[in-house]
Amino acid sequence: MKSHKEFRTTNFLIAGDIIKKYPFNEEFVHYGYEDVLFGKNLYENNIDIIHIDNPVTLEDYEENEVFINKTEEALRTLHMFEDSMQGYSTLLDCVGKINSYGLTTAVSLLYKFAGRSMKHNLSGKRPVLFLFNIYKLCYYISLK
């Protein structure tokens, strides 16, 4: 199952008959998580995914602000497909734990008071990468 959870469309090869039988979900109209749900669909239909050592090298980098905005769009997509994505998103697993500990309000308040500052830092020239996952978590919870 791990190989299905880690499926990304950055670099993959698939047989034509499989993609025709199990196409990408056309309900996805915004950026983010379509490939994860595709991997889940393959898993549920017993289609094996074999990962090979074939790294993708990026040479065209986005500005931090563009990257953060795309991350927010992806999180809004994740929110729209939350029920389908259960068990396939570490972020959703974390949100579930926060909910179970009754910390949702605290995280919402953190976003309300510090979200703009975190985004400013992450969009700037010297981002504190530790903030990135915290920002994603806070932003996602703010969507509720």
Side-chain angles (χ1 to χ4, degrees):
M1 180 153 141
K2 184 177 181 185
S3 65
H4 291 79
K5 285 184 174 187
E6 294 178 359
F7 175 79
R8 301 293 179 268
T9 55
T10 312
N11 190 5
F12 80 107
L13 178 68
I14 189 168
D17 60 326
I18 294 175
I19 193 77
K20 286 176 186 171
K21 189 171 183 178
Y22 306 105
F24 284 91
N25 185 328
E26 292 186 17
E27 293 177 33
F28 280 75
V29 294
H30 298 285
Y31 173 78
Y33 289 92
E34 181 179 21
D35 49 359
V36 178
L37 192 58
F38 182 73
K40 179 182 178 185
N41 188 23
L42 295 177
Y43 175 75
E44 290 172 344
N45 288 285
N46 298 310
I47 306 295
D48 289 330
I49 294 176
I50 300 167
H51 290 264
I52 61 172
D53 186 15
N54 187 20
V56 175
T57 302
L58 301 175
E59 295 180 10
D60 185 27
Y61 298 98
E62 299 171 329
E63 295 292 322
N64 291 0
E65 186 173 3
V66 172
F67 178 75
I68 296 301
N69 289 336
K70 283 175 71 174
T71 297
E72 289 175 350
E73 182 178 3
L75 292 172
R76 290 189 298 272
T77 299
L78 178 61
H79 184 260
M80 288 173 34
F81 291 91
E82 181 178 67
D83 292 340
S84 300
M85 300 298 293
Q86 291 298 326
Y88 274 76
S89 165
T90 305
L91 184 81
L92 289 181
D93 294 343
C94 190
V95 168
K97 288 178 183 170
I98 286 171
N99 289 338
S100 71
Y101 292 130
L103 297 172
T104 305
T105 302
V107 174
S108 295
L109 287 172
L110 176 62
Y111 181 76
K112 181 178 179 178
F113 292 110
R116 186 174 288 145
S117 295
M118 285 190 281
K119 184 174 182 177
H120 180 74
N121 173 274
L122 293 168
S123 299
K125 299 225 183 277
R126 290 200 166 93
V128 177
L129 293 181
F130 170 76
L131 283 179
F132 183 59
N133 286 333
I134 294 170
Y135 180 78
K136 288 192 319 183
L137 179 66
C138 291
Y139 182 85
Y140 186 84
I141 287 177
S142 79
L143 298 174
K144 301 226 172 245

